[in-house]
Amino acid sequence: MQKNNFKNLGLTVFDLKKLKGKRKIKFVQIDTLDQGLAAKEAGIEMIGTGYDQSKTHFPQKLNGVHFQFGLKWGNQVSAEEALRASMKAMNDGAQSIYCPMSASIIEVLSREGIPVIAHAGLIPPKITLTGGYRAVGKSFDEAKMIWEIAKRYESAGAFAIELEVVPGKLAYEITQRTSLFTISLGSGSKCDAQYLFSADILGEKNDFLPRHAKRYKTLFKEYDRIQNERVDAYKEFIKDVDNNLFEDKKYSVSMDDEVLDKLINFIDKNK
C-alpha cells in the first residue's frame, strides 16, 4: 500500500471545487507511467487511469498532480464492492475516483468520503442504450435525460462529472447550473476541465481518431520504426547463427587443448 505524500498533493478536490468557473483544468488519461511522467513535466494538472494492481505505484511517482483512479464498469457489481475498491484506490494514493455506476451507488461512496467523478453522455460500455458511438443530448428528450442524470449525481454527492460527447451548449448549462465540477471529453470548451486520452494526444496508434480528439504527435511512426529495427536485429542474429559467428573467440570462452584432452581421457576411462 502506497502512502499519500501530503507535502506535494497538487490540486486537491477542495482546490478543484474552488477553481470551478475561474480557470480551465488540463486533464489527461494515461495508460503508462511514462505517459504520466511526460504529462506531469509538461504541466498537466490532473491525471487519471484505470485502477488495477499494476498501477498502484503511479500516484507516488506522479505526486504533485491531482491523480484519479477509475473503476472499470463491470468490475464491481454492488455498492459494497465499489466502496471497497474505492477505499483501496484512495489508500494507494488517488485523490478522486471515477465511477460509471448509478447514483444510488455513488451516494454510498460519497457518504464514506470518496470524492467521485460520475459520467454522463456517451458511455462506451453502455452504447447499446444510446444507439452506438454518437453524440448524446442533441434532442430535447436526450438533453433532458442528461440534465436529470447530472442532477441525480449531484444529489448523490458526486463532486464532478465527465460529460462525453454531449453538445457544448448543454455541457455549459450543466456547468453553470450545478455545483458539479464538469469535465469535457468532446463536450465543448466551457466545462471546468478539458480532457483527452494520452494515446490520442501522442498518436500512439495509427487507427481511428475520435472526432473530439486531437493528435499532436505521431508516435506510431516511431514505434513502427523501432519494430522494424527489432525485426532487422533478429534477422541479423539468425544470419550470424547460420554462419557460426558465435564460434569466434570474441563471443565464446576458450579452453586449453591440454585441459580438454585430459578431460576426454578421464571421461573415456570412466565410461
Side-chain angles (χ1 to χ4, degrees), residues 162-179:
E162 177 187 336
L163 298 172
E164 184 168 353
V165 197
V166 167
K169 292 179 181 179
L170 175 57
Y172 173 74
E173 294 300 328
I174 292 171
T175 301
Q176 293 297 306
R177 297 173 184 271
T178 72
S179 63

Side-chain angles (χ1 to χ4, degrees), residues 1-263:
M1 181 185 299
Q2 305 285 356
K3 291 185 178 180
N4 285 320
N5 182 351
F6 292 107
K7 294 181 180 179
N8 193 12
L9 287 174
L11 293 175
T12 64
V13 169
F14 180 86
D15 296 326
L16 293 176
K17 289 179 177 180
K18 290 289 186 181
L19 288 170
K20 179 177 173 63
K22 295 181 179 178
R23 69 174 179 85
K24 205 177 310 297
I25 303 302
K26 295 81 176 176
F27 181 21
V28 298
Q29 181 270 357
I30 63 170
D31 297 307
T32 68
L33 182 58
D34 284 344
Q35 291 175 346
L37 291 169
K40 175 185 174 181
E41 184 175 344
I44 297 296
E45 302 164 292
M46 193 171 175
I47 293 175
T49 193
Y51 182 56
D52 64 53
Q53 290 305 300
S54 69
K55 298 177 179 177
T56 55
H57 61 296
F58 280 22
Q60 186 181 47
K61 297 293 185 180
L62 297 172
N63 60 353
V65 301
H66 180 99
F67 194 89
Q68 167 251 305
F69 268 134
L71 304 185
K72 184 178 180 180
W73 190 82
N75 281 2
Q76 293 80 34
V77 298
S78 67
E80 182 178 352
E81 289 182 1
L83 180 60
R84 181 177 292 108
S86 297
M87 286 182 166
K88 189 175 187 308
M90 295 287 287
N91 281 333
D92 283 331
Q95 292 199 56
S96 61
I97 302 295
Y98 162 83
C99 179
M101 301 174 80
S102 68
S104 61
I105 290 179
I106 285 178
E107 184 176 8
V108 173
L109 304 188
S110 180
R111 281 204 308 263
E112 296 302 326
I114 304 294
V116 179
I117 299 173
H119 194 167
L122 191 161
I123 304 176
K126 305 177 185 178
I127 56 171
T128 190
L129 301 175
T130 50
Y133 287 97
R134 67 173 184 84
V136 183
K138 297 180 72 172
S139 69
F140 170 78
D141 287 341
E142 286 190 352
K144 179 173 175 287
M145 175 188 71
I146 298 296
W147 167 256
E148 290 175 344
I149 288 172
K151 290 298 290 181
R152 284 199 295 272
Y153 282 135
E154 180 183 37
S155 297
F159 90 92
I161 188 167
E162 177 187 336
L163 298 172
E164 184 168 353
V165 197
V166 167
K169 292 179 181 179
L170 175 57
Y172 173 74
E173 294 300 328
I174 292 171
T175 301
Q176 293 297 306
R177 297 173 184 271
T178 72
S179 63
L180 292 165
F181 180 88
T182 57
I183 299 165
S184 171
L185 181 60
S187 300
S189 63
K190 291 184 171 61
C191 288
D192 299 305
Q194 203 73 40
Y195 181 44
L196 278 182
F197 281 57
S198 290
D200 293 333
I201 292 172
L202 301 173
E204 297 211 343
K205 297 178 181 178
N206 186 20
D207 57 13
F208 172 73
L209 185 71
R211 177 183 173 184
H212 60 266
K214 182 176 180 181
R215 181 179 289 157
Y216 293 84
K217 297 293 180 181
T218 53
L219 293 190
F220 70 86
K221 293 181 179 179
E222 183 66 10
Y223 296 156
D224 287 346
R225 185 192 67 78
I226 292 172
Q227 182 66 4
N228 289 334
E229 288 287 295
R230 291 188 181 110
V231 173
D232 288 345
Y234 288 130
K235 286 180 177 179
E236 290 177 23
F237 168 66
I238 291 169
K239 182 179 178 181
D240 284 344
V241 172
D242 290 341
N243 291 329
N244 291 319
L245 174 77
F246 296 95
E247 184 68 22
D248 190 295
K249 63 181 181 180
K250 180 179 178 182
Y251 303 104
S252 60
V253 179
S254 62
M255 184 178 189
D256 290 341
D257 290 340
E258 183 180 343
V259 174
L260 178 60
D261 290 341
K262 186 175 181 180
L263 175 65

